[in-house]
Amino acid sequence: MNLSQTITPELRQWIIDQAANGVAAPTLIDGMRASGWNEDVAVAAVEQVLRTHLDKVAQEQGLPAALPVPDPDIADSPLFIDVGDRQVEVLMAMANPRVVLFGNLLSPEECQAIIDAAGPRMARSLTVQTATGGQEVNQDRTSDGMFFQRGETPVVALLERRIAHLVNWPLENGEGLQVLHYRPGAEYKPHYDYFEPDQPGTPSILQRGGQRVATLVIYLNNPPKGGGTTFPDVPLEVGPRQGNAVFFSYERPHPSTRTLHGGAPVTEGEKWIATKWLREREFK
Ligand code: PD2
Ligand code: ZN
């Protein structure tokens, strides 16, 4: 379908004007269908015109450009996604911010294998010191952690293959899996996972694969109380259930993505998670 030939300047302006007047996309598409447009072409035209227009407005307002992001195939509301060796459940999905909760990404045995392999290597978590690009101990993040190399153990490798299938993103664009352990009282205060564009340390971080564009927080055990992943701008709290994973993406390194998120304090027991950050390009 060659949309650029189909969308006349008049149609483009009509779509933008209607949207600016508060007409929702489905209503616009209904209107186009009523005047003889094929539904698929109408959907694609509205999507392309509005995306291009919103990008232009965002750039005029000084926002960073939008990047392509990973996304699961859930437009037709499937109950499961086949990731090659497993049926992963789709438990909840939200468009803005893009948040999808998955179930059954890992079995309890696979979760335990990751905890066992990570355990001896755990050390107090550091955060990126954005001023320099170095790492520092931070009171906002009172967990212990470690990083695996990509593909370092058989379970890590199978998890990475599942994630690549699940969100349609090259395995090579993933950072090494991080495992975090929160003791009672430990938390991760709300933050964004992208790198702040204006910080002096950011250019050197971006050399290894560009921006982070999405995160999966994968729950490895069942903390009895607390330890949810919170999204204060929504607001939303995801319970940390073993084998489940919460996915969220951010198409630009900006708070307008509404992806501020944190790890709530663990109030009883302990919490183990694995975090997978996905970059724009191959992470070297
Ligand atoms: O442990 C969590 O739920 C959590 C919350 C926010 C983890 C991360 N961020 C992270 O690893 O980036
Ligand atoms: Zn985070």
Side-chain angles (χ1 to χ4, degrees):
M1 170 190 338
N2 188 338
L3 274 177
S4 55
Q5 286 175 359
T6 319
I7 307 172
T8 62
E10 292 75 26
L11 174 64
R12 176 181 303 278
Q13 197 55 50
W14 178 80
I15 293 173
I16 292 169
D17 291 345
Q18 296 285 309
N21 284 328
V23 179
T27 314
L28 274 173
I29 292 160
D30 282 347
M32 290 173 71
R33 279 177 57 205
S35 41
W37 282 73
N38 165 287
E39 176 164 4
D40 290 347
V41 180
V43 168
V46 168
E47 193 175 288
Q48 199 210 70
V49 169
L50 292 182
R51 171 163 289 277
T52 308
H53 178 66
L54 290 173
D55 271 358
K56 192 168 140 249
V57 171
Q59 249 154 342
E60 284 165 4
Q61 291 175 351
L63 264 65
L67 304 166
V69 293
D71 209 39
D73 288 326
I74 55 170
D76 57 351
S77 306
L79 193 51
F80 297 101
I81 296 178
D82 188 336
V83 293
D85 66 338
R86 198 167 181 82
Q87 301 282 316
V88 174
E89 301 162 349
V90 182
L91 300 177
M92 191 278 305
M94 183 180 279
N96 180 15
R98 182 49 144 177
V99 180
V100 184
L101 177 62
F102 297 112
N104 195 42
L105 179 60
L106 290 173
S107 70
E109 295 73 26
E110 289 162 348
C111 290
Q112 194 56 50
I114 294 174
I115 294 174
D116 290 344
R121 286 162 54 183
M122 302 301 282
R124 176 71 193 270
S125 292
L126 303 173
T127 43
V128 174
Q129 196 179 15
T130 38
T132 62
Q135 305 246 308
E136 61 182 359
V137 170
N138 189 323
Q139 276 313 312
D140 288 349
R141 194 179 188 195
T142 48
S143 53
D144 290 339
M146 58 79 69
F147 277 94
F148 286 108
Q149 297 286 318
R150 265 202 318 263
E152 188 175 329
T153 75
V155 180
V156 167
L158 76 79
L159 173 60
E160 288 168 343
R161 285 194 298 270
R162 286 178 192 165
I163 291 171
H165 270 101
L166 190 61
V167 301
N168 302 303
W169 205 245
L171 190 150
E172 295 72 28
N173 295 20
E175 296 183 27
L177 191 74
Q178 177 183 237
V179 176
L180 291 180
H181 178 209
Y182 299 78
R183 294 194 169 78
E187 67 181 313
Y188 195 172
K189 295 244 175 74
H191 59 272
Y192 298 99
D193 280 355
Y194 54 73
F195 303 110
E196 296 289 346
D198 294 338
Q199 290 293 330
T202 296
S204 71
I205 296 171
L206 297 186
Q207 277 172 13
R208 291 190 76 186
Q211 262 292 356
R212 286 182 178 157
V213 287
T215 304
L216 273 126
V217 174
I218 304 147
Y219 305 105
L220 300 178
N221 75 329
N222 289 309
K225 277 193 188 147
T229 303
T230 60
F231 294 80
D233 289 347
V234 179
L236 170 71
E237 178 165 353
V238 176
R241 186 185 171 86
Q242 187 182 49
N244 288 4
V246 61
F247 164 84
F248 53 99
S249 65
Y250 22 99
E251 63 177 9
R252 54 181 114 241
H254 193 270
S256 60
T257 56
R258 305 174 72 220
T259 55
L260 184 71
H261 66 286
V266 175
T267 46
E268 193 182 309
E270 303 186 348
K271 171 184 170 191
W272 287 87
I273 62 154
T275 303
K276 187 68 165 176
W277 286 299
L278 304 177
R279 298 284 192 107
E280 280 178 88
R281 298 183 286 279
E282 179 178 0
F283 178 76
K284 295 191 194 194

